[in-house]
Amino acid sequence: MTYRVNGRSFDEEPAPGQCLRTFLRALGHFGVKKGCDAGDCGACTVWLDGTAVHSCITPAFRADGREVTTIEGLGTPGDLHPVQRQFRDAPGFQCGFCTAGMIMTSAKFTDAQKADLPRALKGNLCRCTGYRSIEDAVKGKAAVQTAAPGKAVGASVGAPAAEDVVTGRAEFTMDTRMEGMLHLKVLHSPHAHARILSIDKTAALEVPGVHRVYTWQDVPRKRFTTAIHTDHLVDPDDTYILDDTVRFVGQRVAVVLADTVGAAEEGCRKLAVEYEVLPAVFDPEETMAEGAPRLHGSEDPFVRDSVHNLLLETHSHIGDVDAGFAAADVIHEGTYVSPRVQHAHLETHGSIAWMEDGRLNVRTSSQSPSIAKVKLAYLFALRPDQLRVFCKRVGGGFGGKQEVISEDLVALATLDTGRPVCLEYTREEEFTTASPRHPMKLTVKLGAKADGTLTAFQVRNVSNTGAYGNHGGETLYAGGAAVMIYRCPNKKYDAFAVYTNTVPSGALRGYGMTQPAFAVECAMDELALALHMDPLALRRRNIVRPGDALVAMHDGPDDVMFNEDGLAKCIDLVAGALARTADQPSPGPGWLVGVGVASSLHETAPPTDHISEAWITLGDDLVYELAVGTVEFGEGTSTAHVQIAANQLGTTPSRIRLVQSDTDRTGFDTGAFASAGLFVAGNAVLKAANAVRDRIMEFAAAHTGVHLVMCSMDDEHVVCGDARVPLATLVALARARGIRFTAARKAYGSPRSVTSNTQGFRIAVHRVTGEIRILHSVHAADAGVLINPEQVRGQVDGGVAQGIGFALTENFQVDADGAVVNPNLRNYRLPTYADVPRTELLLVASSDSVGPMRAKGMAECCINPVAPALANALTDATGVRYRELPLTPERIYSRLGESQSARTGPRR
C-alpha cells in the first residue's frame, strides 16, 4: 500500500485492523493525539483528501492511495497556516493536547460553520479552556501582546511554546520512539474485594512476543502512598505496587510485558487467576457500621479503627454550637451529596522508562517529577544519582497526575529487563483505575438571629476515599475553607474519610473544597429563604472581613494573610452584573427563570510543606536560562515564570530560555498543584531573578565606578549613570575573572494569601423536560496583581466550565457490584462547546498577596462556587431545592411537581 502524508509517500502495510491514528504515529506524526480512541474527543483529527476525519475510528487501509494531512503538514513555526496563527494569537489553548485536532477541524470551516460553532465543534473536546478562547481563535480575535523590556508583568504575552503547540511539534509524554521498546498492559480485578489465591502465568508466557509477567510475588513488598505531597506522612502508606488482595473493581492484578500492546493484551487475557471473593461494601455510612467487612488489616498504622474502616476522622469546634442553636431564631439543616468526578484530561496517564549510562530514566505525565523520583528511589532502593525523572509538556492534570500510578510499573520492568518500557493508559482505565474526586455527603446545620446574624455553624462531612487513602486526609481538612468564609462564634466540624470497595479517590481542582462549598453555599440560600432575607444580604452580613480571624476547625494562629475585602467586592460586582441583565428575556413559554449566586475563599497554597527552587544563569549568548521544576500542563506557569524573570531583569520574554520539570536539570519542586506553581515557584523565580540582576548591576557599578543606586537593567545593557554598558562586555569581563552571573533561590508555601471568588448565574429551566439553559454567567475574582490577564481569564473560563460539568452533566455511574458502567467520554457526558456559555469575568483590584509581584493563583479556586450558584439558581427558578449533583434533566423533572410556586418569569 502507498500512503501520502503531508506530501511525502510511504510504502507501508498497516497491521490488520489498525486505525489511522496509530499508523500515523508509527510513522512519526506525533501531532495526531490519542484522547479516547472512540471518536469522542477529536484530538486525533487529520484530513483525508482534504476532509477532516477522526483518525482513531478510521481504518488505516482507507487512506491507501489518498492524501493525508496532519497538523505537521499544515504549517511550520516559521510559516504558520492562518488558523494556526489565530490559535497562537488568541491564544486558543492551555495544555495544548487538543489543539492540533481543534485546528485541523476548524481550518476547514465555512462561514456558515463559524456562525454555528456549537454544531461545528461538537466532535472536539477541550477540558482546559472552557471554549471561549477557542471561539476567539476560530473567529480571528487576538489577545496576545508584545511586552516592552522590563514591562512583561501585566501584559498578555504568549506562551513560550505557543508555536510548537499550534504546529504539533510540542512534545508530550508519548511523543517519542525508542529502539527495542517493550509495552506493558495490566490485568485488572473483576471483583470489588477478593484474595488472590493463585495466578498461572503459563499460557500468557506462551503468547508470541510476551517477555515477562509480574504478580505481587515479583515486586518489592513495600507499602507506599500514590499521593504526591512534600511530606508523605500526611497520606497513608496503604498501597503496594501489586497486592495479593484486591479492593476495587479495576485494581491491578498482574502486569504483562511484551513487544507490542496487542501481545501484552493477549497475555493478560491468557492469565488464569483464582480468587477467593470477599464481602464488599460501597456506601461509607455502611462501611463505618459495626460488623462491616474489614478492608485493611490492623497492621496499617493509618487506620484508627480498622473494624469501622476509617482512614481518618477529625472533630473540632470553636465556641459552643449547642448554645448557638439555642440562641437562634431560625435553624436550617440539610444534607448535600456530591458525586465522583473524573479529571478527563485528554492526555491519559503514561510513562516511559529506559536505562542510560547505568541510570534509570523515567519520562512521565506527572504534576511532580521531583516527588515521583523520591517515591521510585524508595520503592526500588535507588540512590538519587541513579535516577532521573522528567516531563515534557503534559496534556492536562487538574490534580489527577498528583499521583504515582504509572511510573512504578515501567521502572520495575526496565530495571528487570534493561530495555525501554512504555505504559499508556486507555480512556477506560482512566475511569476505572485512576483517582476521581471524592464523593462526599455533607450535613450542614445553621442557626441565625432574625436579622441574619449567624449563631451556630455545624458541618458533618463523610468522604468516600475508596479502596485506598491517597489524598483522603488532606481533602478532608481542605473542606474547612467552606466553613472559614463566614463569621460565627460557634462552629463545629466533624469529618470522616472512609474506605470503601470503590475506585480510590484523589486530588481534583478545588481539592476537597468544591464539595463542601456546594453544601454550605446551598445551605446559606436555604437559610435566607427561611429568614425571608435576600441571599446576598445574608452573605454580606456574615462574610469574614479584614481583621477577622479565618476560623474553620480551630482558633489558633495561622500563616494566612487577609488584609483586603476582596470577597465583599466580588459579591457586589456579581450582584451588579446580574442586575444589569435583569431584563434578559426567557427562551419562551414553558421556561422558568432564576438567579443564583455563591462564593468561596481559597488559600493560595496548601497548608502542608511546599518547596520550589529556581536557577537563573546569563549565558554568553545574552539569553537568560531559567530552570524551574514546575510542570506545564495548561495552568500557564511557564508563561508567568518567564514574565516574572523578564520583568525583573529588565528584558523581554524572548530572552528567557526556560528549562523545566527535569530532576537532572532543575532544582526540587514539590509540584504544580494547589496554585503553587505560580504562588511558590513564582516566588522562587522572582528571588532568583532579583539575585542575578543585583549581581550584574554590582559588577557593572564596580566596573564603571558608579554608585550602585545609579545602575539599572535596560534589556541588553546596564545603565550606570550616563554610561550604557553592553551586557556582552560585562559577560566577557566577568568570564575573564572566572565570574558567572547565576543564582539559585528557594521559596516556600508560607506565608499564604486568600483568593476570593463569586459566581452568578441566570438560568432558564424547562418545566416539562427539566432542561437547563444558562442565560448569563458572571464570575468575580480577586486575583491580586495580574501577571498575564489573558491567562487569568483562561483559567477562570476553564474552571467555570469544569464546575458546570460537575453540576449539570458529568455522571460517574457505578453498578451494584462496584464496577464503573460508563467508562468513556461520550457516556460520562463531558461538557462540549454547546454546554458552556461565555462567562463575564470581573476582577477585583487588590495587592494584599504575598505571592510573586503580589499575584494570586486562579487555576484552583475558581471552580468552587460554580455548582452551588447553579443549584441556587435552579431553586430560584423552580421553588424546589435539589441537594444532590449532578442536576440532570431527569432528576430535575422528577421533582418539579413538588413546587406550588412555579413561575414563568424571573424572581429577581
Side-chain angles (χ1 to χ4, degrees):
M1 294 182 176
T2 300
Y3 296 83
R4 283 186 57 80
V5 183
N6 299 331
R8 293 180 57 202
S9 293
F10 297 86
D11 292 324
E12 299 285 342
E13 189 76 21
Q18 186 173 19
C19 72
L20 184 58
R21 181 191 70 80
T22 59
F23 182 67
L24 290 170
R25 286 182 63 85
L27 294 175
H29 301 285
F30 295 119
V32 185
K33 303 300 185 194
K34 182 197 88 170
C36 64
D37 274 343
D40 294 336
C41 75
C44 67
T45 303
V46 300
W47 294 349
L48 194 57
D49 286 344
T51 299
V53 300
H54 288 185
S55 61
C56 71
I57 55 173
T58 302
F61 74 84
R62 290 189 181 171
D64 181 24
R66 302 171 71 181
E67 184 69 36
V68 179
T69 306
T70 73
I71 188 70
E72 293 95 337
L74 198 62
T76 63
D79 184 21
L80 297 179
H81 182 280
V83 176
Q84 290 173 315
R85 191 177 304 114
Q86 290 167 205
F87 270 77
R88 179 198 65 186
D89 294 343
F93 65 90
Q94 286 180 24
C95 83
F97 197 79
C98 74
T99 305
M102 286 286 181
I103 290 173
M104 296 304 291
T105 298
S106 57
K108 284 294 180 181
F109 283 169
T110 64
D111 289 343
Q113 287 174 305
K114 291 178 183 178
D116 188 12
L117 289 181
R119 178 178 294 274
L121 281 175
K122 66 180 181 180
N124 290 77
L125 295 177
C126 177
R127 190 55 152 168
C128 295
T129 65
Y131 298 101
R132 186 269 314 167
S133 62
I134 291 172
E135 176 186 317
D136 288 347
V138 172
K139 295 185 175 180
K141 182 179 178 181
V144 168
Q145 299 171 322
T146 300
K151 303 292 184 182
V153 168
S156 294
V157 303
E163 293 206 346
D164 286 336
V165 168
V166 301
T167 58
R169 286 159 175 80
E171 277 193 47
F172 291 82
T173 308
M174 294 297 158
D175 295 343
T176 187
R177 291 181 294 183
M178 302 187 75
E179 191 69 29
M181 182 181 289
L182 301 177
H183 298 268
L184 283 175
K185 293 303 293 185
V186 176
L187 176 67
H188 301 285
S189 169
H191 303 294
H193 197 193
R195 185 173 294 111
I196 298 171
L197 301 179
S198 66
I199 302 177
D200 188 345
K201 307 177 183 180
T202 306
L205 290 170
E206 291 174 352
V207 173
V210 170
H211 291 260
R212 299 280 196 282
V213 175
Y214 300 104
T215 71
W216 68 275
Q217 295 173 309
D218 305 307
V219 302
R221 192 69 174 167
K222 291 184 178 181
R223 299 165 70 92
F224 75 110
T225 174
T226 62
I228 281 177
H229 291 105
T230 301
D231 181 1
H232 72 94
L233 296 177
V234 303
D235 304 300
D237 288 336
D238 59 4
T239 304
Y240 292 106
I241 297 173
L242 292 168
D243 202 352
D244 60 344
T245 299
V246 291
R247 297 178 175 85
F248 69 97
V249 175
Q251 182 168 333
R252 302 170 176 176
V253 172
V255 182
V256 176
L257 180 66
D259 290 328
T260 65
V261 171
E265 290 174 338
E266 180 63 12
C268 287
R269 287 189 286 268
K270 294 293 186 180
L271 289 169
V273 184
E274 183 182 1
Y275 298 95
E276 177 192 353
V277 178
L278 303 173
V281 63
F282 309 111
D283 179 81
E285 298 282 6
E286 295 177 7
T287 310
M288 287 190 289
E290 193 73 38
R294 178 181 296 186
L295 271 67
H296 289 267
S298 58
E299 74 275 7
D300 183 352
F302 234 84
V303 179
R304 297 188 177 187
D305 185 343
S306 59
V307 175
H308 295 133
N309 296 302
L310 288 179
L311 163 68
L312 186 72
E313 60 181 305
T314 178
H315 304 280
S316 56
H317 70 277
I318 296 108
D320 185 339
V321 292
D322 291 335
F325 285 120
D329 296 315
V330 173
I331 295 174
H332 163 73
E333 184 172 3
T335 298
Y336 306 85
V337 179
S338 296
R340 288 179 179 83
V341 178
Q342 234 293 322
H343 305 80
H345 34 70
L346 289 192
E347 180 200 42
T348 60
H349 284 84
S351 300
I352 301 169
W354 69 95
M355 300 300 295
E356 186 174 322
D357 298 327
R359 301 177 72 223
L360 176 66
N361 288 258
V362 179
R363 168 172 166 154
T364 186
S365 181
S366 171
Q367 289 177 230
S368 177
S370 292
I371 296 180
K373 175 178 176 176
V374 171
K375 289 184 182 289
L376 294 177
Y378 158 71
L379 287 172
F380 299 106
L382 299 173
R383 299 190 312 271
D385 63 306
Q386 294 176 303
L387 175 62
R388 172 198 181 201
V389 180
F390 70 100
C391 301
K392 291 294 187 177
R393 196 171 181 91
V394 173
F398 315 113
K401 294 171 181 174
Q402 195 185 336
E403 306 262 358
V404 171
I405 58 176
S406 61
E407 296 87 350
D408 55 340
L409 292 181
V410 295
L412 166 76
T414 290
L415 289 169
D416 178 36
T417 65
R419 292 182 58 178
V421 174
C422 167
L423 170 61
E424 183 177 17
Y425 273 42
T426 65
R427 180 56 59 185
E428 180 174 341
E429 286 173 322
E430 288 291 330
F431 278 94
T432 58
T433 70
S435 304
R437 188 187 296 283
H438 290 75
M440 290 184 182
K441 183 171 74 172
L442 293 108
T443 299
V444 180
K445 186 177 180 181
L446 302 173
K449 292 289 190 182
D451 66 356
T453 301
L454 289 175
T455 60
F457 196 147
Q458 181 171 327
V459 175
R460 181 179 188 267
N461 182 359
V462 178
S463 174
N464 185 345
T465 196
Y468 297 94
N470 38 307
H471 296 284
E474 289 298 279
T475 52
L476 205 65
Y477 283 110
V483 179
M484 178 178 70
I485 189 172
Y486 296 112
R487 291 174 305 191
C488 184
N490 307 297
K491 293 182 177 181
K492 191 170 190 293
Y493 186 82
D494 299 300
F496 309 84
V498 188
Y499 286 117
T500 65
N501 290 115
T502 58
V503 59
S505 303
L508 206 163
R509 193 179 208 160
Y511 197 75
M513 169 63 178
T514 313
Q515 308 94 313
F518 167 66
V520 168
E521 289 301 289
C522 287
M524 285 294 287
D525 255 44
E526 293 194 71
L527 178 63
L529 183 64
L531 288 164
H532 305 289
M533 283 185 72
D534 181 88
L536 292 183
L538 179 64
R539 286 175 170 81
R540 289 188 180 103
R541 176 172 289 276
N542 290 288
I543 56 172
V544 292
R545 306 275 183 169
D548 292 341
L550 294 174
V551 174
M553 301 182 193
H554 61 83
D555 55 3
D558 58 40
D559 62 347
V560 179
M561 311 289 288
F562 179 52
N563 301 320
E564 293 189 25
D565 203 358
L567 182 56
K569 294 175 183 177
C570 287
I571 292 173
D572 290 344
L573 286 171
V574 168
L578 291 172
R580 288 194 303 273
T581 58
D583 58 352
Q584 190 171 5
S586 74
W591 291 87
L592 309 174
V593 176
V595 171
V597 174
S599 295
S600 72
L601 284 182
H602 200 285
E603 293 156 347
T604 53
T608 50
D609 293 345
H610 206 104
I611 306 167
S612 184
E613 184 174 8
W615 307 338
I616 298 182
T617 301
L618 177 60
D620 293 341
D621 57 359
L622 304 187
V623 172
Y624 296 92
E625 182 174 276
L626 165 61
V628 61
T630 304
V631 178
E632 176 59 62
F633 56 95
E635 78 282 27
T637 53
S638 295
T639 314
H641 292 166
V642 167
Q643 287 181 259
I644 292 167
N647 201 81
Q648 300 309 101
L649 293 165
T651 188
T652 61
S654 63
R655 288 190 49 230
I656 308 294
R657 180 171 55 244
L658 185 62
V659 176
Q660 60 189 146
S661 55
D662 185 333
T663 61
D664 269 11
R665 302 182 64 193
T666 61
F668 183 88
D669 187 278
T670 296
F673 52 86
S675 291
L678 174 69
F679 191 82
V680 183
N683 264 332
V685 171
L686 177 69
K687 292 178 179 180
N690 287 343
V692 171
R693 177 200 62 199
D694 292 348
R695 187 164 297 181
I696 293 170
M697 291 199 301
E698 288 167 2
F699 187 90
H703 171 67
T704 59
V706 175
H707 197 280
L708 180 61
V709 296
M710 301 296 291
C711 298
S712 63
M713 303 291 292
D714 184 17
D715 202 11
E716 296 188 15
H717 297 79
V718 178
V719 177
C720 293
D722 296 329
R724 283 173 56 84
V725 184
L727 273 180
T729 300
L730 296 174
V731 168
L733 290 170
R735 289 288 188 192
R737 293 170 54 185
I739 296 173
R740 296 177 67 215
F741 297 131
T742 185
R745 293 292 186 271
K746 295 179 181 179
Y748 302 87
S750 180
R752 299 174 291 156
S753 305
V754 174
T755 60
S756 306
N757 299 78
T758 298
Q759 175 70 41
F761 286 107
R762 175 171 284 103
I763 68 169
V765 186
H766 198 276
R767 63 170 67 243
V768 175
T769 66
E771 176 191 352
I772 288 180
R773 292 186 186 176
I774 299 174
L775 307 178
H776 185 203
S777 170
V778 57
H779 189 102
D782 171 13
V785 173
L786 305 185
I787 303 293
N788 188 308
E790 188 59 27
Q791 284 196 165
V792 171
R793 179 177 295 276
Q795 291 303 313
V796 173
D797 284 335
V800 172
Q802 274 192 303
I804 289 171
F806 172 49
L808 300 184
T809 67
E810 297 180 40
N811 205 349
F812 199 115
Q813 299 180 14
V814 178
D815 68 16
D817 297 318
V820 180
V821 299
N822 60 331
N824 56 70
L825 298 177
R826 183 176 305 178
N827 295 329
Y828 176 69
R829 272 294 280 122
L830 205 66
T832 66
Y833 176 95
D835 298 311
V836 181
R838 288 180 76 96
T839 292
E840 179 184 1
L841 176 60
L842 305 171
L843 294 169
V844 171
S846 71
S847 59
D848 68 336
S849 176
V850 288
M853 318 299 292
R854 299 196 175 276
K856 302 178 183 181
M858 271 290 114
E860 184 94 13
C861 56
C862 51
I863 192 175
N864 293 329
V866 177
L870 273 168
N872 290 338
L874 177 60
T875 296
D876 188 50
T878 64
V880 180
R881 171 55 63 174
Y882 297 85
R883 295 176 178 163
E884 183 173 356
L885 298 176
L887 303 171
T888 59
E890 297 84 358
R891 182 167 284 158
I892 293 168
Y893 171 75
S894 68
R895 295 185 55 212
L896 277 178
E898 296 177 16
S899 172
Q900 300 300 314
S901 58
R903 294 172 297 277
T904 57
R907 181 177 178 182
R908 59 179 183 272

